[in-house]
Amino acid sequence: MATPAVPRDTQERAAARGRGLAAWALVVAVAALVGWMVASSLDAVAYNSRSDDGYYLHYMSEVASRGPGAFPDLFRTYLGDERHWIYPSPSRVGFIAASALWSKVFGLSLASLSELSLASHLALILVSFAFARRWFGDFRAVLIATLIAFSPLCLGLSRLALMDSFTTLTQVAVLGLFFEYVREPERRLRWFGFVAAFTVAILTKEVAVLLCLPFVVHAAIERRQRGREVPIGRTLAALALPLVLSGVLWTFAAGGVRPFFEVLKIVLVSPNTNAYAIAYGSGAWYRYPIDEILMSPWPTLLGLTGIGVALWRRRRGEYDAVPFGFALVYVCQVAALGFFTKNLRYVELLETPLRVLAVLLLWDLCSAERKRAGRVLCAAAVAALCWLGYVDYREIWIRPRLSDPVTSELIFLRGMGPNDPAAR
């Protein structure tokens, strides 16, 4: 008796599922490798309980023991002494709440905060892959997630008892959900997911509101460039509602409108009176790409080239929504954040667009879309970049125990500055 033939479309779906599972397994393995690599170095992290580290630990401890009712007291204490104003404020409600929940399982300590940073970076790898495979397919998504995994900046910050890795995770999730919403605005679940994620991102760090600029521009271009029906009212509501929700939650946390606005004013103004911020965080907007090149030269240069290519292709009518969207995010973020204190910690988000565009540029240069040899060459190039990223991570973060990636330290660590700390 003859065996019934399996329909071709069934075979193709089964093969696609197999490739998807293999890709997920590979990315999980990469995340496990990175987790082991960073976790093995956490014992050597030099904490400073009298600096930002100590403030985050104090906030985590208070909210973990007293619940949300601790926030008004944290705001009052912060406002009551000017010496607190150069340190993190309790307005980072999203991160503080997450760290308090984290402490219920992993304990109250600076080491626990470092472990939260590492977990955030590992989650970033998986989230980046999940979005990238929807836009670019399994193969390129694996390369993108792996290149992000070995970012020296992300690896270094994932060791610290700070909020930067968690902040980056929330903002990258917001980027992915916005691109998904614009692609299919009729899917209401994506609208709700974006609103929720954007609210969390803003509550985690106030400057997340600056993402509204590239979002508005991207939605307008999508509507005009491709004739896609992106509802104006629904899109503006998706951007406005997180601002309203964040304001309401901040007001409750602060114990009133006045203390909330007083803390917000301090957050915006205090860097102008902070001697460290003035000495180490001043300069023009182009300090960010310079510092990114100092931290990780080749992926940054490839990513910056990828930004130019994405903008040039749109000019020629070869518009591709997601690459152009990432280019737009980078340009708008650098332009907006150029008015604030400059530190690579504050722009870890930009590692994602740079590394996505770097992989896409390599993909095109290797003709990987058409040739199997090109895919092998592209994968080899990404593997080489990951190895260089690991070497940079060791040379910048592990051996010298760098804790703050400011320009003067990066120049010194790259052998381009004086050895005398007093001269830096």
Side-chain angles (χ1 to χ4, degrees), residues 345-394:
R345 283 175 46 207
Y346 308 151
V347 293
E348 186 184 2
L349 166 69
L350 299 183
E351 287 294 281
T352 295
L354 282 176
R355 287 168 184 264
V356 168
L357 293 169
V359 170
L360 297 182
L361 179 64
L362 288 171
W363 186 265
D364 288 342
L365 291 175
C366 296
S367 300
E369 193 68 41
R370 300 187 302 272
K371 300 177 183 178
R372 179 175 296 181
R375 291 193 288 274
V376 172
L377 180 59
C378 185
V382 170
L385 292 175
C386 290
W387 171 252
L388 291 175
Y390 170 73
V391 171
D392 288 335
Y393 159 69
R394 297 286 302 181

Side-chain angles (χ1 to χ4, degrees), residues 53-373:
D53 308 22
Y55 275 76
Y56 287 127
L57 178 61
H58 172 66
Y59 295 152
M60 178 174 72
S61 176
E62 288 295 306
V63 176
S65 60
R66 297 169 53 197
F71 277 109
D73 288 340
L74 293 177
F75 274 82
R76 280 192 289 270
T77 301
Y78 186 83
L79 289 170
D81 190 340
E82 291 186 12
R83 290 176 296 181
H84 297 313
W85 295 359
I86 63 173
Y87 297 107
S89 79
S91 61
R92 278 73 191 270
V93 173
F95 174 72
I96 296 169
S99 67
L101 292 173
W102 179 266
S103 71
K104 298 294 185 180
V105 179
F106 299 97
L108 287 165
S109 67
L110 290 171
S112 177
L113 282 171
S114 285
E115 291 163 0
L116 175 56
S117 292
L118 176 56
S120 298
H121 179 52
L122 300 182
L124 174 67
I125 298 169
L126 302 179
V127 167
S128 300
F129 172 73
F131 282 122
R133 72 188 296 259
R134 292 176 57 83
W135 305 324
F136 310 117
D138 290 324
F139 196 98
R140 279 182 288 182
V142 170
L143 300 183
I144 288 168
T146 305
L147 194 59
I148 291 172
F150 282 90
S151 159
L153 179 62
C154 294
L155 289 172
L157 295 178
S158 73
R159 304 172 67 244
L160 305 183
L162 300 173
M163 66 180 294
D164 304 292
S165 295
F166 183 83
T167 300
T168 300
L169 172 62
T170 62
Q171 293 182 358
V172 169
V174 168
L175 290 184
L177 287 168
F178 187 77
F179 291 152
E180 290 290 327
Y181 160 71
V182 170
R183 184 164 68 171
E184 295 183 279
E186 68 279 3
R187 302 280 291 275
R188 294 188 179 274
L189 187 60
R190 296 184 182 183
W191 186 90
F192 284 109
F194 169 76
V195 169
F198 199 19
T199 302
V200 171
I202 294 171
L203 287 171
T204 298
K205 194 164 186 180
E206 307 85 348
V207 294
V209 300
L210 297 176
L211 288 171
C212 285
L213 176 58
F215 288 163
V216 168
V217 176
H218 179 68
I221 290 175
E222 276 287 279
R223 185 178 174 89
R224 177 181 178 183
Q225 186 81 24
R226 306 182 68 172
R228 177 169 292 165
E229 184 56 38
V230 181
I232 296 176
R234 191 185 306 165
T235 302
L236 292 178
L239 298 176
L241 188 56
L243 303 181
V244 174
L245 292 173
S246 299
V248 171
L249 292 171
W250 267 324
T251 300
F252 278 109
V257 175
R258 183 175 180 180
F260 162 59
F261 277 105
E262 287 178 352
V263 168
L264 184 60
K265 180 180 178 181
I266 291 169
V267 169
L268 294 174
V269 174
S270 63
N272 295 328
T273 59
N274 185 332
Y276 180 86
I278 294 171
Y280 292 96
S282 301
W285 63 268
Y286 48 80
R287 180 168 176 172
Y288 280 129
I290 290 173
D291 287 358
E292 287 164 340
I293 291 172
L294 289 170
M295 176 65 71
S296 184
W298 288 109
T300 300
L301 291 171
L302 287 167
L304 292 173
T305 303
I307 291 172
V309 170
L311 298 176
W312 174 70
R313 282 180 170 171
R314 181 191 177 267
R315 181 73 175 175
R316 292 188 56 189
E318 301 173 9
Y319 174 71
D320 195 345
V322 174
F324 181 81
F326 276 120
L328 195 61
V329 166
Y330 184 91
V331 171
C332 289
Q333 283 290 97
V334 169
L337 293 170
F339 295 99
F340 298 87
T341 301
K342 293 156 194 73
N343 187 314
L344 281 185
R345 283 175 46 207
Y346 308 151
V347 293
E348 186 184 2
L349 166 69
L350 299 183
E351 287 294 281
T352 295
L354 282 176
R355 287 168 184 264
V356 168
L357 293 169
V359 170
L360 297 182
L361 179 64
L362 288 171
W363 186 265
D364 288 342
L365 291 175
C366 296
S367 300
E369 193 68 41
R370 300 187 302 272
K371 300 177 183 178
R372 179 175 296 181

